């Protein structure tokens, strides 16, 4: 079931120091446009070394319910549901979520997909055993990533698991200007509005400082595989 935009508190409201509303909206518009060009679900898993590890790491930590943050067209939501997890995938792009729903329906896989802005999630506190986020945080500046990590912490049950991958991005060619914290705001035609930022390991420690434990492991040429556990 698709949820209507909620009146939940916007976690970014007082913290969006680096950019104005227009920059924020243009990033969302970039994604809606990008997903709008995809006609059918692409039912292949990405060639990433850590993919088979994700369900194993979650199972080891007794995760049952999972929120897939910024799920896109849902490959990770569907993959985890196929491994027996009870999955909710959420993304700001209605088109991405539509592709995920088509995929789930065609392959008879049970996943709950919602259209919501990460800034405005209304799932409540302490509701998920696990939150996964693949290639999401690096599309936000640090001053928004911090409340995002706080929001993940609050949505997790005590002892819950965050698992994510932070890509090694931002080094390639492209036209962009740079926010004070190094976030690129792309201006070239193909990526106009997209935000991109590489997180250092020290910044990852800052993001997950509220968690009881943190593992940061380098994978796939400079990307970081992250597992953070909430205290019991
Ligand atoms: C690089 S894609 C990653 C998608 C997916 N996790 C994957 O691994 O393929 C980034 C995703 O973040 C979503 N996104 C961007 N801004 C968002 C926001 N404010 N709230 C929710 N999702 C957002 C985009 O629509 C896009 O699907």
């Amino acid at each position: 079931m698709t949820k209507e935009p909620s009146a939940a508190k916007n976690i970014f409201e007082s913290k969006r120091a680096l950019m104005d509303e227009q920059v924020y909206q243009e990033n969302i518009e970039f994604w809606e446009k990008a997903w709008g060009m995809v006609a059918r679900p692409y039912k292949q898993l990405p060639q990433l070394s850590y993919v088979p590890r994700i369900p194993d790491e979650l199972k080891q930590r007794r995760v049952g319910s999972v929120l897939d943050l910024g799920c896109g067209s849902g490959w990770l939501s569907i993959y985890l549901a196929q491994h027996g997890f009870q999955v909710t995938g959420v993304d700001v792009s209605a088109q991405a979520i539509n592709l995920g729903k088509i995929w789930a329906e065609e392959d008879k896989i049970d996943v709950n997909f919602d259209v919501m802005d990460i800034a405005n999630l209304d799932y409540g506190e302490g509701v998920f055993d696990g939150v996964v986020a693949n290639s999401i945080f690096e599309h936000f500046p640090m001053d928004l990533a911090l409340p995002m990590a706080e929001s993940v912490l609050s949505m997790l049950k005590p002892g819950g698991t965050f698992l994510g991958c932070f890509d090694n991005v931002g080094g390639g060619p492209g036209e962009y200007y740079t926010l004070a914290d190094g976030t690129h705001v792309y201006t070239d035609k193909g990526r106009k509005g997209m935000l991109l930022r590489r997180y250092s390991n020290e910044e990852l420690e800052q993001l997950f400082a509220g968690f009881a434990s943190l593992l940061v492991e380098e994978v796939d040429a400079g990307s970081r595989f992250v597992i953070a556990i909430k205290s019991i």
Side-chain angles (χ1 to χ4, degrees):
M1 192 186 83
T2 302
K3 293 193 177 188
E4 293 302 314
S6 73
K9 184 173 170 288
N10 186 319
I11 58 165
F12 296 165
E13 248 161 33
S14 58
K15 305 194 178 175
R16 200 185 296 171
L18 286 174
M19 61 183 180
D20 61 22
E21 187 63 32
Q22 191 185 341
V23 178
Y24 187 76
Q25 285 308 326
E26 280 179 2
N27 180 48
I28 291 179
E29 282 161 23
F30 161 78
W31 286 108
E32 192 59 283
K33 200 170 149 198
W35 284 118
M37 290 190 281
V38 183
R40 289 268 316 141
Y42 177 70
K43 298 184 182 179
Q44 303 291 325
L45 289 180
Q47 298 293 309
L48 301 166
S49 67
Y50 56 86
V51 168
R53 203 172 143 188
I54 299 174
D56 293 347
E57 296 281 3
L58 295 174
K59 276 184 187 159
Q60 270 176 37
R61 293 170 176 83
R62 300 180 194 287
V63 169
S65 58
V66 183
L67 177 68
D68 181 6
L69 210 54
C71 63
S73 56
W75 70 265
L76 182 51
S77 299
I78 285 179
Y79 179 64
L80 290 176
Q82 286 169 327
H83 280 79
F85 296 92
Q86 185 196 325
V87 186
T88 296
V90 65
D91 200 283
V92 75
S93 163
Q95 171 63 3
I97 291 298
N98 192 40
L99 291 164
K101 284 183 176 176
I102 291 170
W103 184 352
E105 211 173 289
E106 285 179 355
D107 293 8
K108 302 194 177 3
I109 297 161
D110 188 16
V111 178
N112 175 49
F113 282 115
D114 293 325
V115 179
M116 267 191 264
D117 187 336
I118 286 175
N120 251 327
L121 301 180
D122 69 349
Y123 294 112
E125 293 185 10
V127 284
F128 296 105
D129 301 318
V131 175
V132 296
N134 189 66
S135 310
I136 299 304
F137 278 81
E138 52 273 46
H139 294 286
F140 294 91
M142 185 71 173
D143 71 345
L144 300 192
L146 281 164
M148 273 168 67
E150 282 168 24
S151 160
V152 167
L153 186 62
S154 89
M155 288 187 290
L156 283 171
K157 293 179 187 169
T161 301
F162 168 81
L163 187 157
C165 187
F166 288 70
D167 295 332
N168 185 13
V169 288
E175 290 164 28
Y176 54 83
Y177 64 92
T178 307
L179 301 178
D181 76 336
T183 303
H184 296 171
V185 183
Y186 283 85
T187 53
D188 52 65
K189 196 163 167 255
R191 290 182 292 180
K192 188 178 178 316
M194 187 181 80
L195 302 171
L196 207 52
R197 177 178 202 282
R198 185 184 190 280
Y199 279 84
S200 68
N201 287 358
E202 293 68 33
E203 287 168 334
L204 294 179
E205 280 170 24
Q206 282 177 47
L207 284 185
F208 296 101
F211 287 69
S213 72
L214 176 67
L215 171 133
V216 176
E217 205 180 295
E218 193 166 320
V219 287
D220 300 346
S223 295
R224 269 71 38 75
F225 186 77
V226 172
I227 297 179
I229 309 293
K230 180 171 174 168
S231 61
I232 293 171

